[in-house]
Amino acid sequence: MITQACCNDASCVAVCPVQCIRPRPGDSDFATTEQLYIDPATCIDCGACAYECPVDAIFPEEDLPPPLADFRDINADYFALHPLEDVRPLPVKRHRLPDATTEFRVAVIGAGPSAMYAVAELSEMVGVSVTVLERTPTPLGLLRAGVAPDHEGTKLIGERFSRVLQRPNVECLFNVEVGRDVSVAELLIHHHAVICAVGAADDRKLGIPGEDLEGSVSAREFVAWYNGHPDYSDRHFDLSGKRAVVIGNGNVALDVARVLARPASAYEKTTMSDVALEALRGSAIEEVMVVGRRGQVFGAYSTAELLALERLPGVDLLAYPAEVSVTDEELVTAGLEESSFNFARRRGVIDAAARRTPVSPRRIIMRYRLKPTALIGEDAVRGVVLTEADGTSEAVETSLVIRAVGFRARSMPGIPFDSSAGIIPNDAGRIVDPDTGRPLPGLYCAGWVKRGPSGVIGTNRTDSAETVASLLEDLADGRVPQPVGSSTDFADLIRSRQPYLVDRAGWRRIEEAELGAGAATGRTRVKLLNSADLLKAARGA
């Protein structure tokens, strides 16, 4: 059974001898699926998929943990609606450099999942060397600073990425910022190609009065804070009120709600920041209200994340009966039927929440069809105005409003940027001139900065594979420029400009320090929370 932690990167598909895992890359619903599923009628229980899974999301039926029991039916129900027909194995694509090419150097900007999938694919080829440049002292991007601390299984894919960074043809240059320490033009002088995979470092705005008041924060900031990102280690969030309001109804909104609603003791053995743990110990929050602009039909959260809320000990999941109705018009607009896979299960959870009588000391309330129209307060947030479609409004008292309405990519010097779409203009990963639409030689992109903030970790695997395929096609057709500088000259250039460079050895010292501190306290790891401590650990001081 494939369960909640599924990363969707389809590593399991290739090793299945009977090809009973769906959807597969290339299937019509692969890009939009919440997770992958195993057909119980076809599975021969060989265990190959469980061994291959990078996030430990696959279990034999007899070993399925009780909290994940729903996934027995979830896997089976998928195949009731999508009967398994074609069991031919997918062709295995093995890339290689053109025969005339003996050396190929690629610089990858960023070290998050999309970057790491690209690095993994490139570094498997003989003759390829990859330089990974990361702005912070540590790699893995949102896998380190975005995945919720209680999703330990999801974080396991970091071990696979870490092995990629250990490959001899991969050079790690961390604590190096492109645009500050080195330019894109200088990268192209020393590399055949550059792949920009920097993710989405900004957040979308509500565009309402009071949005900039103290106590109004983005989910990006809050998540980075509790995950120990060095840019946010000194932030303070007001947890003194009894209610917090989260605007948005995607998985990030549910992560934030879960962190705020659970007691700090639930996170004491995780990788959560010590600063966040201490703040949560003093939290007075008893209620977290999650507000969506549209009906539950359009909830952007996954079934797995919603089921996880329903199972939280000591926390009631509630909803308002008047707000959870589902109209035929909404179903048509969303392209769903009442019995649609996953929607029917999510609807059952929300409808049950609307009937539930609260008994626990803490609660999460799912609200629908409410548009935030203003934040109330003079110097700090004291409430939020929520308005229905008919103009009826209510003022909800709160001292903390967290905006979880999406991320936006940030422009980078030397690379075109479409500010309206919030992405780099591209064609299958080839960065294009926004005026002519023509590809810019040697420049490529992958991940959220390429397609926008959508999908889960594994979605980046197919996304990055597309970019690498475009790059290799251009190389074969002679459309990739030849660098005039050497890799040695480039390494010397970076070291001369950034004396606090963190190389692979320095990063391993950081890992040893954090994992060692975790082992001493019975935790997975204890994160170093500011750049000074990270750099000190990197030097072995």
Side-chain angles (χ1 to χ4, degrees):
M1 309 295 166
I2 300 180
T3 62
Q4 179 179 347
C6 179
C7 70
N8 289 30
D9 85 345
S11 297
C12 53
V13 171
V15 300
C16 177
V18 293
Q19 286 297 295
C20 68
I21 302 174
R22 293 293 187 278
R24 306 186 296 184
D27 290 349
S28 60
D29 57 338
F30 178 77
T32 57
T33 188
E34 293 185 359
Q35 64 165 84
L36 307 186
Y37 309 90
I38 295 175
D39 181 10
T42 307
C43 176
I44 60 173
D45 199 26
C46 68
C49 57
Y51 181 80
E52 184 67 20
C53 178
V55 293
D56 287 356
I58 304 178
F59 295 85
E61 182 176 9
E62 62 272 16
D63 295 336
L64 199 63
L68 300 178
D70 291 317
F71 289 90
R72 180 181 289 106
D73 290 337
I74 288 173
N75 280 256
D77 289 351
Y78 177 85
F79 290 95
L81 293 172
H82 305 85
L84 193 63
E85 296 175 353
D86 185 2
V87 294
R88 292 174 297 177
L90 290 175
V92 178
K93 296 180 180 179
R94 298 293 185 191
H95 292 305
R96 55 177 295 179
L97 295 180
D99 291 338
T101 304
T102 57
E103 180 190 30
F104 190 58
R105 301 195 300 273
V106 181
V108 177
I109 307 172
S114 62
M116 292 313 307
Y117 279 121
V119 173
E121 193 160 353
L122 287 165
S123 60
E124 287 177 352
M125 292 182 280
V126 175
V128 174
S129 59
V130 184
T131 305
V132 183
L133 301 106
E134 163 59 37
R135 183 181 68 84
T136 66
T138 57
L140 305 187
L142 283 180
L143 192 60
R144 176 180 170 98
V147 175
D150 53 350
H151 284 359
E152 295 285 1
T154 304
K155 291 178 179 290
L156 289 174
I157 199 170
E159 297 177 5
R160 181 167 294 187
F161 292 155
S162 294
R163 291 194 293 272
V164 170
L165 291 172
Q166 300 289 342
R167 291 176 179 174
N169 58 339
V170 176
E171 183 173 22
C172 300
L173 301 177
F174 304 150
N175 201 41
V176 174
E177 184 173 350
V178 176
R180 181 195 65 188
D181 302 317
V182 64
S183 69
V184 172
E186 288 172 320
L187 292 179
L188 284 173
I189 289 174
H190 297 88
H191 300 84
H192 294 81
V194 174
I195 298 177
C196 183
V198 295
D202 283 334
D203 52 271
R204 298 185 182 278
K205 303 292 186 180
L206 294 172
I208 61 175
E211 185 171 10
D212 295 326
L213 286 170
E214 185 73 22
S216 168
V217 302
S218 71
R220 176 182 57 84
E221 297 170 282
F222 189 73
V223 170
W225 170 72
Y226 67 61
N227 273 315
H229 192 291
D231 290 353
Y232 300 91
S233 60
D234 59 351
R235 288 296 305 271
H236 169 76
F237 298 94
D238 186 359
L239 307 181
S240 63
K242 291 189 175 183
R243 179 189 291 119
V245 176
V246 181
I247 307 297
N249 61 4
N251 282 342
V252 174
L254 267 55
D255 278 347
V256 169
R258 192 176 65 253
V259 166
L260 288 170
R262 299 185 76 185
S265 58
Y267 296 94
E268 288 177 345
K269 298 298 182 181
T270 72
T271 60
M272 179 176 278
S273 155
D274 282 347
V275 170
L277 276 173
E278 187 60 31
L280 289 173
R281 290 188 187 105
S283 172
I285 292 174
E286 298 175 354
E287 175 181 297
V288 183
M289 186 177 289
V290 181
V291 179
R293 294 171 180 253
R294 299 194 288 177
Q296 64 157 309
V297 170
F298 303 99
Y301 41 72
S302 68
T303 304
E305 291 295 329
L306 188 61
L307 288 170
L309 288 194
E310 190 180 40
R311 295 191 294 262
L312 290 179
V315 180
D316 288 323
L317 181 64
L318 307 173
Y320 286 16
E323 296 174 356
V324 301
S325 61
V326 174
T327 69
D328 291 340
E329 182 181 0
E330 288 176 329
L331 290 170
V332 171
T333 301
L336 297 173
E337 298 178 357
E338 291 194 17
S339 60
S340 293
F341 181 68
N342 275 329
F343 169 66
R345 185 170 275 105
R346 290 196 301 270
R347 182 181 183 181
V349 172
I350 296 300
D351 288 352
R355 298 189 299 267
R356 185 170 292 121
T357 300
V359 295
S360 300
R362 300 187 181 199
R363 55 195 170 275
I364 295 173
I365 305 177
M366 304 296 292
R367 304 289 306 273
Y368 298 96
R369 300 194 183 97
L370 295 171
K371 180 180 179 180
T373 52
L375 300 186
I376 306 168
E378 295 182 2
D379 298 322
V381 170
R382 292 293 175 261
V384 55
V385 178
L386 304 176
T387 304
E388 299 180 40
D390 63 3
T392 303
S393 295
E394 65 174 294
V396 176
E397 183 179 348
T398 181
S399 57
L400 180 63
V401 174
I402 298 180
R403 310 181 307 271
V405 292
F407 300 89
R408 281 180 58 87
R410 184 181 296 171
S411 63
M412 173 177 292
I415 293 181
F417 188 72
D418 183 341
S419 57
S420 60
I423 60 173
I424 293 174
N426 72 93
D427 178 11
R430 298 178 178 92
I431 297 178
V432 301
D433 185 310
D435 296 323
T436 65
R438 294 176 180 173
L440 297 173
L443 292 180
Y444 302 83
C445 59
W448 280 5
V449 76
K450 167 189 172 184
R451 70 180 188 274
S454 63
V456 293
I457 289 172
T459 310
N460 292 294
R461 187 179 187 184
T462 51
D463 179 286
S464 296
E466 178 188 59
T467 296
V468 171
S470 294
L471 170 55
L472 294 176
E473 181 181 319
D474 291 348
L475 175 63
D477 292 342
R479 296 194 295 266
V480 175
Q482 290 294 314
V484 296
S486 69
S487 56
T488 301
D489 290 342
F490 181 73
D492 292 341
L493 173 69
I494 296 298
R495 291 181 185 279
S496 70
R497 292 183 180 174
Q498 176 49 287
Y500 301 107
L501 165 74
V502 176
D503 58 13
R504 178 160 48 203
W507 165 56
R508 293 308 304 171
R509 293 187 195 104
I510 292 173
E511 285 283 283
E512 291 168 2
E514 292 187 339
L515 293 173
T521 56
R523 297 171 62 183
T524 310
R525 76 165 65 215
V526 176
K527 289 182 178 177
L528 298 168
L529 301 182
N530 60 67
S531 293
D533 288 340
L534 286 163
L535 295 177
K536 182 178 178 180
R539 297 192 300 270

